[in-house]
Amino acid sequence: MDQTPINLLEIRDLRKTFSVAGGLFSRPLTLTALENINFSIRKGETLGIVGESGCGKSTLGRCILQLLSPDEGQVLWLGQDLTKLPAEEMRKRRADLQIIFQDPLASLNPRMTVGEIIADPLRTLRPELNKEQRRGRVLKIMEAVGLLPEMINRYPHEFSGGQAQRIGIARALITEPKLIVCDEPVSALDVSIQAQILNLLSELKDEFGLTLIFISHNLSVVRHVSDRILVLYLGRIVELATGDEIYDGPRHPYTRALLTAVPIPDPRLARQRNIDALKGEIPSPINPPSGCTFRTRCRFAKPYCAEHRPPLETIEDNRLVACHRWREIEVPEEAVLGV
Amino acid sequence: MKQVLHVEDMSVTFALHNSEVHAVREMNFSLAQGETLAVVGESGSGKSQAFLAIMGLLAKNGRAGGRAMMEDINLIGMEPNQLDKHRGKDIAMIFQDPMTSLNPTLKIKTQLGEVLVKHRGFERDKAVQAATEMLERVGIPEPAKRANAYPHELSGGMRQRVMIAMALLCQPKILIADEPTTALDVTVQAQMLDLFKSLTEDFGTALVLITHDLGVVAGVADRMMVMYGGRAVEKGTTDDLFYDPHHPYTLGLLHSTPHIAKRAERLDPIQGLPPSLENLPKGCSFNPRCAFAFDRCLVERPPLAPTENGREKACHYEGPMAYGKVA
């Protein structure tokens, strides 16, 4: 019987800051990229992470994989804290945790053949395999991601963006990972290819029993692939709920605004829509607003919101929200239309 | 409605080492005052090159043919110094990345003011004042302060607003926007699309929106032109094309687009890859990816022909297109 714990990964009180140059004669400034991040990922689920540029979504993905070291907090993989793991141990662990990047061509070494690129992780992580065994595995994975066997000796520049992304996916799959962080995997692709890759990811997820973290700025794509969705704003979790809960009744005013701003490929619905246009732009994470960081753009903000930071509250089963006023704010009947 | 642009039999070709690539062929359309036309297609469909040609902005090895009539002036083949009398004044274009379109060494007010000094003979001071007013109109907070800034001091959304303000200073009849919101966050994108709507309504500007995003199209466009392999394959009103697409490619694009309000288990994408313009399939360019292709499609290219309700399509297939068949 499979006795793997339900929660593959638990993130506790994660915090990540960066030091940025202030100016020629000033002291470096601190940019808080992530703060008070707490959530867990269940085995077999797809967790979507959405937010606008600079919200910390990619940093979060990289902190989970230890490609960046968090300043504080724990990343518990099956109970083991990855942040405390010695480098050599972590390297072995990487067979379980893989990543797919946004720009498929830029993430492939132009001097290596497709076969070499896909087999590369095996050299470090499965040194016991011989050349023939490696080749056998590569061909099997290539077939699974829809690449033809004769492509094995070609170079990345001979491929289109969609095919290059398939190579990136094959490289991530070759170590038989349990979790894959997909960081904007379809944002650079044409619409028809984007749909092909999304379908491929969902097939592979079923076939290999994967757990996925799907990072994207596109809420339509995230809703399409995710079981649960985590919404980030200025490095903090503002809401975490299932796709249906977010869609039917977003609790946080930011989630609500995002939902009405997502382009909807339906002219009649688009005309009925009452877009909750946020004022202004995202404040700088170097100097975030006091209290609730969203208050400067929130139409429900009260003076109280400037003084106190809203805690991340559990409001229903596994549903989290960080807003002082979520109980009072009435959710529109058709949240996606804002009416 | 008054027609502001009439394009006839336009083509764009690029000379390579020892061959030629046809990026756009036999393009025909007209654009009315205050109307928004969406030009939709994937990479290599020719959607951007067609409008760069109209603006006289093709790469050196590019050549445009046919006519693009703005009233009685043909913009195609016009000498650059002649074209400069119209570019920025009657017809303006904005691009996806505003940073590469703004001069990093000049203050915003200088760049904007220049347009008015050049095209409308304004005095420097008056030009700067008018430019600042325009910044306010496009929703830039503290316009006087922003006018004094350099492009790098502004955010992406703000820079795109500056580009729009610059494009609007002379109240052009035609504004061409090439993927204007692709690089922006959704909340800023929503603000921009709203701005486009008020532009066409308040100024009567005709807007050409070049995009691959059907969500953006649904929100703002009156009519659509879908392009594939350098040609228009379907034209009609936005509602007609969304609710009753006649071309299998249009249908395929719709089924490839994730829809926030309809969570399908699987998308139903078009198979295969967009074609290379250097090596287009014989017959209908779309035939290798089309679920409805039959013998005739492999040998004979379907012409773009009128169907009903002012619509046009380039496809031999006449039967019903059931959902799921395109996959």
Side-chain angles (χ1 to χ4, degrees), chain B residues 310-324:
Chain B
R311 300 178 62 168
E312 290 171 65
K313 74 159 179 175
C315 178
H316 294 308
Y317 181 74
E318 296 294 346
M321 295 192 294
Y323 177 84

Side-chain angles (χ1 to χ4, degrees), chain B residues 51-297:
Chain B
F51 291 90
L52 288 172
I54 292 174
M55 292 296 289
L57 295 173
L58 286 178
K60 279 209 176 70
N61 62 339
R63 193 164 44 80
R67 279 183 300 280
M69 305 298 295
M70 205 168 58
E71 286 171 4
D72 52 356
I73 314 156
N74 182 9
L75 296 170
I76 303 290
M78 192 179 262
E79 289 299 318
N81 59 351
Q82 283 295 312
L83 209 48
D84 277 343
K85 289 183 189 157
H86 304 289
R87 280 194 293 214
K89 183 164 173 276
D90 302 318
I91 182 166
M93 185 163 181
I94 57 176
F95 300 91
Q96 177 175 344
D97 180 3
M99 198 56 198
T100 52
S101 314
L102 290 167
N103 185 331
T105 66
L106 295 177
K107 286 184 176 177
I108 300 295
K109 63 176 181 190
T110 319
Q111 304 192 44
L112 260 61
E114 201 174 42
V115 180
L116 289 171
V117 173
K118 184 170 175 187
H119 286 302
R120 294 177 66 185
F122 274 45
E123 298 284 330
R124 189 112 226 135
D125 289 354
K126 258 196 97 186
V128 168
Q129 196 196 334
T132 313
E133 281 166 21
M134 187 56 82
L135 289 177
E136 187 164 17
R137 284 203 72 148
V138 298
I140 291 189
E142 302 179 83
K145 191 177 147 198
R146 307 293 180 196
N148 256 318
Y150 289 95
H152 75 268
E153 298 175 279
L154 305 180
S155 68
M158 209 83 91
R159 281 182 216 137
Q160 196 56 283
R161 279 169 208 263
V162 169
M163 285 308 300
I164 294 174
M166 189 190 280
L168 292 181
L169 277 174
C170 293
Q171 299 186 14
K173 299 182 196 102
I174 305 157
L175 177 63
I176 300 165
D178 189 357
E179 302 274 7
T181 61
T182 306
L184 304 176
D185 279 318
V186 281
T187 57
V188 183
Q189 171 171 275
Q191 295 168 356
M192 285 317 211
L193 296 179
D194 209 39
L195 178 62
F196 281 136
K197 267 191 263 178
S198 51
L199 280 181
T200 50
E201 282 160 21
D202 301 350
F203 291 88
T205 311
L207 176 68
V208 176
L209 186 68
I210 304 171
T211 182
H212 67 278
D213 188 337
L214 290 174
V216 169
V217 173
V220 293
D222 302 307
R223 286 194 302 136
M224 287 169 72
M225 170 156 73
V226 179
M227 293 191 66
Y228 191 82
R231 294 176 192 271
V233 294
E234 185 164 11
K235 289 198 243 173
T237 66
T238 303
D239 281 30
D240 278 345
L241 265 63
F242 270 80
Y243 299 122
D244 180 26
H246 285 176
H247 197 287
Y249 179 62
T250 313
L251 181 72
L253 278 183
L254 285 165
H255 285 323
S256 298
T257 307
H259 190 322
I260 185 91
K262 285 188 205 150
R263 189 183 184 224
E265 267 308 302
R266 283 172 55 86
L267 294 166
D268 211 348
I270 309 163
Q271 298 302 306
L273 307 172
S276 148
L277 290 172
E278 289 170 68
N279 196 9
L280 281 180
K282 279 207 180 63
C284 171
S285 311
F286 188 58
N287 79 57
R289 305 178 75 192
C290 181
F292 306 99
F294 56 106
D295 298 351
R296 192 177 166 196
C297 308

Side-chain angles (χ1 to χ4, degrees), chain A residues 52-53 190-193 195-196 199 203 223-224 226 247 258 263-268 271 278 280-281 297 336, chain B residues 42-43 155 185-187 189 191 212 215 218 239 242-243 256 259-261 263-264 266-267 269-272 289:
Chain A
E52 299 179 271
S53 22
D190 270 325
V191 190
S192 65
I193 309 304
Q196 291 174 6
N199 279 350
E203 284 159 22
R223 168 155 158 88
H224 181 77
S226 309
Y247 176 77
L258 265 189
I264 194 163
D266 186 324
R268 282 181 208 133
R271 281 193 290 268
L278 289 180
E281 296 180 41
R297 302 173 77 194
V336 76
Chain B
E42 298 182 277
S43 352
S155 68
D185 279 318
V186 281
T187 57
Q189 171 171 275
Q191 295 168 356
H212 67 278
D239 281 30
F242 270 80
Y243 299 122
S256 298
H259 190 322
I260 185 91
R263 189 183 184 224
R266 283 172 55 86
L267 294 166
I270 309 163
Q271 298 302 306
R289 305 178 75 192

